[in-house]
Amino acid sequence: MNPQDYEVDIVPLTHSDGGGFAAIVPELPGCRSDGETPQEALDNAYDAVRCWLEAAEEMGRTVPQPRRLAA
């Protein structure tokens, strides 16, 4: 699967959380990342998706279909 097929939600982090932006992949539990800019957070999220998919495959777990491809 292509990491870019998964939806990524980008949200600003508060100053007390360190600032920058969080990137959350709702379809993949626990898959998230962050970055100083929205683009950096998105790029980091795609790396996190690659790692999540690789780990799921190694453990024999089912990988959810990306929502935008399932429709």
Side-chain angles (χ1 to χ4, degrees):
M1 259 199 241
N2 185 347
Q4 286 84 356
D5 290 338
Y6 286 91
E7 176 183 316
V8 178
D9 297 332
I10 306 290
V11 294
L13 293 170
T14 64
H15 182 70
S16 62
D17 286 332
F21 295 84
I24 302 158
V25 184
E27 296 151 287
L28 305 177
C31 188
R32 56 179 50 228
S33 193
D34 62 16
E36 290 297 315
T37 66
Q39 185 62 53
E40 183 179 336
L42 182 62
D43 293 341
N44 292 341
Y46 290 147
D47 286 338
V49 169
R50 280 185 205 84
C51 291
W52 196 102
L53 295 173
E54 183 179 299
E57 184 178 318
E58 287 174 3
M59 292 185 283
R61 294 192 176 165
T62 303
V63 174
Q65 279 280 353
R67 287 183 202 160
R68 45 193 254 191
L69 296 182

